[in-house]
Amino acid sequence: MKATAIANANIALIKYWGKRDQKLILPNNNSIAITLDGLNTITTVEFDKKYERDLFILDGLEIKEGKEFERVVNHLNLIRAMAHIKEKAKVSSKNNFPTAAGLASSASGFAALSLAASKAAGLNLDPKELSILARQGSGSATRSCLGGFVEWLKGEKPDGSDSFAVQIAPPEHWPEFRMIVTIISSAKKKISSRAGMAQTIATSPMYKVWLDTIDEDLDKMRRGILEKDFSLVGKTAEFNCLKMHATMITTNPSIIYWMPETLEIIQAVLMWREEGLECYFTIDAGSQVKIICLDNQVPEIEKRLQAIKGVKETIVCKTGAGPKLIEKHLF
Ligand code: PMV
């Protein structure tokens, strides 16, 4: 009744922004992401009669209450119901990157929790079933259930059974593809993506434009990935990111996740491109900028990023694998 899983984070090239069902976490639009090698969560889960209540340890610290704790317990309840078991669980989780700083820790977190907990509960889920389960913990976690370039289908059904992840291409399809994560601040963000999305749907006049133009972005991105057309992938990702932020900026009250350093990196990327150094940016619901490039540009981009004062750290990621079970437990 104990299992441990490792799952990689993912960063969307075409963003998920807005839900059609809050409880089942069903999105209004498909999204496309790359699963990142190198940013991961390891989670061990044990169901046992000896536990009187669910225990959750994150990066060595026990979390006893609050939203984070409730989300984990709700997820365990879902798995207990699927497996017809009653035992409480101990969950220990470790991220190798700063939690909740706009680096999608909930994606790798819920993918790892779903795989470890379902296995510990005696279930053997296939990637489709696993992504449907992970989706109910965190939307972006759906995509971390597969490796490489992944699309999360929004589905149409009210029960969410057709809203899951499919692979567009495996990690080895495009070995030169890189994403450089820049860290400018490890502070937790003030507005969760959950709250940001709800506020956008309720108040942004731009949200309709987002939905009206998303299929075009998705088509370009699928084509760009399959044909390994780097310019098409980069341009489409950057434009899609800016459209998402335009919907947030125009909510009431306005949501602006960008910090001065965010804008500094944006300006730098635009300038570098003019100079012939081809790279693009994408930003989630946070202040961190991720730079999309090919492997031969990495040394030059890293050198230039290091010259920007606000950049604390950079992490260079390739496309990574889907989640897997590992032998080494955290407890
Ligand atoms: O799954 P959540 O609730 O963390 O939402 C993720 C939202 C974005 O990161 C902004 C976009 C995306 O597709 O990952």
Side-chain angles (χ1 to χ4, degrees):
M1 293 290 256
K2 191 193 265 193
T4 300
I6 183 165
N8 283 317
N10 72 81
I11 299 291
L13 298 169
I14 301 295
K15 309 293 185 190
Y16 139 58
W17 198 245
K19 296 178 179 61
R20 65 182 163 93
D21 185 309
Q22 304 279 341
K23 186 163 184 293
L24 288 172
I25 311 194
L26 297 172
N28 277 334
N29 64 274
N30 288 22
S31 52
I32 296 177
I34 71 162
T35 298
L36 296 177
D37 185 41
L39 297 182
N40 59 50
T41 303
I42 297 177
T43 299
T44 299
V45 180
E46 179 181 46
F47 288 99
D48 197 296
K49 283 199 293 286
K50 70 183 176 205
Y51 300 121
E52 285 171 11
R53 58 192 285 275
D54 290 322
L55 300 171
F56 175 43
I57 295 130
L58 180 60
D59 291 326
L61 290 175
E62 188 179 353
I63 298 183
K64 291 186 172 167
E65 57 191 7
K67 276 199 190 131
E68 245 170 332
F69 178 70
E70 279 164 29
R71 281 174 78 179
V72 170
V73 172
N74 286 343
H75 212 61
L76 292 170
N77 287 340
L78 214 64
I79 292 158
R80 278 188 281 258
M82 285 167 77
H84 309 290
I85 61 167
K86 292 217 151 46
E87 286 84 355
K88 299 290 183 201
K90 177 174 173 180
V91 176
S92 180
S93 215
K94 214 175 72 188
N95 288 321
N96 73 346
F97 57 96
T99 305
L103 289 179
S105 61
S106 65
S108 52
F110 276 96
L113 176 64
S114 297
L115 180 56
S118 60
K119 189 71 192 173
L123 299 168
N124 282 308
L125 305 181
D126 64 26
K128 173 179 162 181
E129 293 166 322
L130 188 70
S131 72
I132 288 178
L133 171 62
R135 190 199 74 220
Q136 294 168 76
S138 164
S140 52
T142 317
R143 300 180 308 234
S144 274
C145 292
L146 286 166
F149 296 83
V150 182
E151 179 160 0
W152 170 18
L153 308 175
K154 68 182 161 94
E156 305 289 341
K157 294 184 184 164
D159 69 355
S161 57
D162 57 352
S163 181
F164 52 87
V166 291
Q167 191 179 60
I168 296 176
E172 54 283 6
H173 165 71
W174 200 349
E176 302 83 15
F177 197 91
R178 294 288 180 280
M179 195 173 267
I180 306 178
V181 177
T182 64
I183 299 186
I184 57 159
S185 143
S186 52
K188 291 204 180 192
K189 61 191 180 200
K190 288 200 190 79
I191 306 166
S192 67
S193 14
R194 205 163 275 214
M197 286 180 203
Q199 189 171 310
T200 302
I201 295 181
T203 66
S204 173
M206 304 295 180
Y207 192 64
K208 188 184 173 315
V209 179
W210 169 259
L211 292 178
D212 286 348
T213 57
I214 195 82
D215 284 338
E216 203 179 308
D217 294 355
L218 288 161
D219 284 345
K220 284 186 186 159
M221 187 55 72
R222 277 184 219 109
R223 186 154 52 84
I225 291 168
L226 291 172
E227 293 173 2
K228 297 202 259 185
D229 181 340
F230 179 66
S231 303
L232 182 62
V233 167
K235 271 184 207 150
T236 309
E238 194 174 283
F239 186 58
N240 180 263
C241 151
L242 289 171
K243 273 197 291 186
M244 177 182 74
H245 283 271
T247 72
M248 300 172 183
I249 291 168
T250 49
T251 59
N252 185 11
S254 180
I255 302 171
I256 303 177
Y257 287 109
W258 298 353
M259 302 297 284
E261 298 93 329
T262 314
L263 213 47
E264 205 180 338
I265 303 171
I266 292 176
Q267 303 280 22
V269 168
L270 296 178
M271 199 172 72
W272 299 341
R273 220 157 60 218
E274 265 179 36
E275 293 166 8
L277 180 62
E278 191 174 10
C279 57
Y280 300 86
F281 63 83
T282 187
I283 306 159
D284 288 321
S287 56
Q288 319 291 354
V289 184
K290 291 94 183 178
I291 295 175
I292 304 160
C293 65
L294 294 175
D295 60 345
N296 57 352
Q297 313 278 38
V298 169
E300 181 60 27
I301 295 172
E302 279 223 286
K303 197 175 93 197
R304 293 187 187 197
L305 282 170
Q306 273 151 21
I308 298 177
K309 235 174 63 214
V311 175
K312 280 196 188 163
E313 200 186 326
T314 56
I315 309 170
V316 183
C317 302
K318 304 179 190 178
T319 48
K324 60 173 197 279
L325 292 163
I326 55 175
E327 299 291 321
K328 204 165 172 279
H329 301 306
L330 292 178
F331 62 88

